[in-house]
Amino acid sequence: MLVKWLYGYRKVFCEKGYGIRVLNIMLRNNIGYWGLKRGEDERFEFSLLEKDYKNLLSLLDKYQLRVYSVKGRGLRFICKAHKNRAGLLVGLFLFFILLLSSSLFIWEVKVVSDTDIPHNEILANLKTLGCFEGSFVPSIDFEDLCIDYVNKYKDCSWISVNLKGTVAYVEIQDKRIYDELNSTPRNLVAGYDGIIESFSVYSGKSMVESGSVVKKGDILVSGIVDSKHGEVRLCRADAEVRALVELTFCEEVMYSYKKQVFTDRECEKKSLRFFDLTLPLSLEATPDYCEYTTSRESNGAVVFDVIELPLSIEKEVMREYIVEDFTYTPDEAGRVAEARMKKRIEEELFSSEIISIETNGENTKDSYILTCKIKCRLDIAMPKDIKTQ
C-alpha cells in the first residue's frame, strides 16, 4: 500500500455495460488493477496506479470507450494540490528522508525464546555490547555480537540476533536447559506407586518388568549401563513407563474467605516513549492508596498502516481496592471445590487414561472437603540426575 501511495492511484468507474470490455483490454495490455467491485447499477469499479490510468485512457480512445475517476490519492496528488506551498512540500520531503533514514536504526529489540533468563537481563547484556533500541545498524556485526555474548555471559549456550526491518529478534538457548537435554546422566524413577503395565526404553537399562509393583522413588530405568566389554558407562535414561495407579486428590474450601473489591478511585499516568527514552506527560504523583493494582498498555505510532515508528504512548492505570470478608454457603463451597478439583485433574492428569473416579464431599464446621479417589493409567517415569562427584 505504501508503494501505491507514493506513486499515486485513482479509483475508476466504467460505463454501464462496458466493464467486461475494459477489463479485457487491460488484461491484454498488462495493466494491473486491484479492488475490483461490481455495484448494484452494474457498474464496475477498481483502482489502478496513475501511470496505468493514463495508458488506459489512450487505449480506450481507440475503442471509443470512456471511464470516470474520482479524485486521485497519494503523494503525487498531494504535491500537485499544494505546489504553491513550498514550505509544506519541503517539510514532507524532509519527513520522508527522516523516515527512510530511520531504517538504519534499531527501533525495537524483542526476545522471542522461552528461557529462564529474565528478558530484561538479556536486553541489558545486549546493550553493553552495542545492540539496543536506537543503535546504528551498520555499526553492528551481528555474527561477532552473538559470539561475544556467549563468551562474556556463561548462562546461555547460544544466541541469535536477526534483524527484520527495524526490529531485532533475539533467540537464546538457556545453558542449563542445553546441558540437561544433552549431557547430564540420569535415572528414571517412579513418580507414583503403581503396577507396571507396559514400557518402552529408548536409552538406559530397564530395572522392571510388566506386572512389577513399584513404590514411589524406585528406579525404573537406570542410566548406568554395562558395555559389551564389561565397562560401565553413564547415559541419559529415556523411556515411557505406563502403570496402573490409584491416586487420592483432596480440595478444601473454607467457608470464610477474603476478596479484593475495587473502589471508584484510580490514577492514570501517561508518558511518551521514544526508543528507550521515556518522558512523562502527566505530573500526578504515586497515589496514597493502601492497596492497588497496576495495569499498563502501549499504543505505538504507525504511518500509513505499514510503518511502525519507535514512538509510543505508555499508559499506566492504578486502581485502588479493599479487602473484604465474604462467606460461602455449603452449596457454594461445594461448587468451588468441584471446580478446583476439575482443574487439578485436567492439569496433573492431562496425559493419563482415567479408568474411574470416586468422589466424597464432607461439610465440616469451617470448610467443605472434597476427596477424589482416581484409578488411571499414566507414564510414571520421572527423571533423577546421577551425581558423578
Side-chain angles (χ1 to χ4, degrees):
M1 189 63 190
L2 177 60
V3 174
K4 298 172 184 175
W5 191 88
L6 291 174
Y7 275 101
Y9 65 95
R10 292 177 181 266
K11 181 175 286 189
V12 177
F13 299 87
C14 296
E15 287 186 333
K16 182 177 179 180
Y18 296 104
I20 299 297
R21 293 183 62 187
V22 172
L23 293 177
N24 286 334
I25 293 171
M26 293 172 64
L27 289 174
R28 287 197 300 268
N29 292 274
N30 296 319
I31 297 178
Y33 60 90
W34 69 91
L36 179 64
K37 294 181 181 178
R38 187 170 184 173
E40 296 180 356
D41 56 355
E42 299 298 322
R43 291 198 314 170
F44 283 84
E45 63 179 75
F46 52 87
S47 299
L48 73 169
L49 295 177
E50 176 66 9
K51 61 178 182 178
D52 292 330
Y53 174 70
K54 293 179 178 178
N55 293 337
L56 178 62
L57 291 181
S58 63
L59 291 171
L60 294 183
D61 286 340
K62 301 176 182 179
Y63 300 95
Q64 297 183 344
L65 297 174
R66 294 180 62 189
V67 293
Y68 306 92
S69 75
V70 297
K71 183 179 178 180
R73 297 175 173 86
L75 181 62
R76 176 196 297 262
F77 296 99
I78 293 176
C79 293
K80 186 176 180 180
H82 301 280
K83 61 182 179 180
N84 295 325
R85 300 180 181 179
L88 178 61
L89 295 179
V90 171
L92 284 173
F93 175 76
L94 293 176
F95 169 75
F96 281 103
I97 292 297
L98 290 173
L99 195 62
L100 294 174
S101 64
S102 63
S103 62
L104 299 175
F105 297 87
I106 295 177
W107 290 6
E108 186 176 6
V109 182
K110 288 185 178 181
V111 180
V112 296
S113 297
D114 293 329
T115 174
D116 289 342
I117 307 173
H119 287 191
N120 289 341
E121 181 180 332
I122 296 171
L123 297 178
N125 294 341
L126 286 171
K127 188 172 183 178
T128 62
L129 297 174
C131 180
F132 53 91
E133 293 181 359
S135 56
F136 190 52
V137 173
S139 67
I140 302 174
D141 187 319
F142 288 95
E143 184 176 350
D144 289 343
L145 171 70
C146 296
I147 295 173
D148 292 342
Y149 190 102
V150 174
N151 290 336
K152 185 174 181 179
Y153 303 102
K154 305 299 182 181
D155 54 354
C156 73
S157 57
W158 62 264
I159 187 172
S160 173
V161 182
N162 298 305
L163 188 66
K164 296 181 180 179
T166 57
V167 180
Y169 293 91
V170 181
E171 296 181 63
I172 189 168
Q173 177 69 69
D174 191 306
K175 193 164 188 177
R176 181 185 63 80
I177 295 175
Y178 178 82
D179 289 342
E180 286 182 357
L181 292 177
N182 293 274
S183 61
T184 307
R186 71 178 183 184
N187 296 322
L188 294 181
V189 300
Y192 304 93
D193 299 345
I195 302 173
I196 305 299
E197 291 194 336
S198 64
F199 58 90
S200 300
V201 179
Y202 309 117
S203 64
K205 180 181 179 181
S206 174
M207 305 298 289
V208 295
E209 298 178 352
S210 295
S212 299
V213 178
V214 296
K215 296 291 185 180
K216 182 177 180 179
D218 289 350
I219 296 179
L220 304 177
V221 181
S222 174
I224 304 174
V225 181
D226 297 327
S227 67
K228 295 180 180 179
H229 304 290
E231 298 175 349
V232 176
R233 64 181 180 87
L234 299 179
C235 71
R236 189 170 177 81
D238 188 17
E240 181 181 5
V241 183
R242 299 193 70 82
L244 182 63
V245 176
E246 292 186 2
L247 304 173
T248 300
F249 287 173
C250 184
E251 288 290 341
E252 182 178 11
V253 177
M254 305 300 294
Y255 293 140
S256 298
Y257 67 100
K258 297 182 182 296
K259 182 180 179 181
Q260 294 180 0
V261 178
F262 287 100
T263 68
D264 294 332
R265 297 205 301 167
E266 66 177 41
C267 177
E268 182 179 294
K269 291 183 179 181
K270 289 185 178 181
S271 58
L272 178 67
R273 187 168 183 266
F274 181 70
F275 288 116
D276 59 348
L277 177 65
T278 301
L279 301 173
L281 297 178
S282 54
L283 301 177
E284 290 86 350
T286 301
D288 57 351
Y289 307 153
C290 294
E291 302 287 348
Y292 61 90
T293 62
T294 303
S295 62
R296 295 177 175 84
E297 66 177 69
S298 175
N299 296 311
V302 182
V303 179
F304 312 130
D305 295 327
V306 176
I307 302 175
E308 296 182 6
L309 300 179
L311 186 70
S312 62
I313 299 294
E314 310 282 340
K315 184 170 73 172
E316 181 181 26
V317 180
M318 287 152 284
R319 298 180 61 196
E320 182 190 37
Y321 69 84
I322 57 176
V323 178
E324 295 185 355
D325 293 324
F326 289 85
T327 302
Y328 284 128
T329 65
D331 288 341
E332 290 173 340
R335 288 193 291 271
V336 172
E338 289 174 1
R340 291 180 183 176
M341 182 65 73
K342 181 180 178 181
K343 182 178 180 181
R344 182 178 177 184
I345 291 174
E346 290 175 349
E347 291 178 350
E348 297 188 26
L349 304 178
F350 68 93
S351 61
S352 68
E353 177 190 349
I354 296 178
I355 299 172
S356 64
I357 300 179
E358 295 181 9
T359 60
N360 179 52
E362 179 185 2
N363 288 305
T364 67
K365 180 181 177 181
D366 300 317
S367 64
Y368 178 88
I369 301 174
L370 178 64
T371 305
C372 282
K373 293 184 178 180
I374 305 170
K375 183 180 289 187
C376 61
R377 294 186 181 90
L378 75 160
D379 183 2
I380 63 171
M382 303 289 291
K384 185 176 182 180
D385 292 344
I386 298 175
K387 296 182 179 179
T388 57
Q389 294 180 352

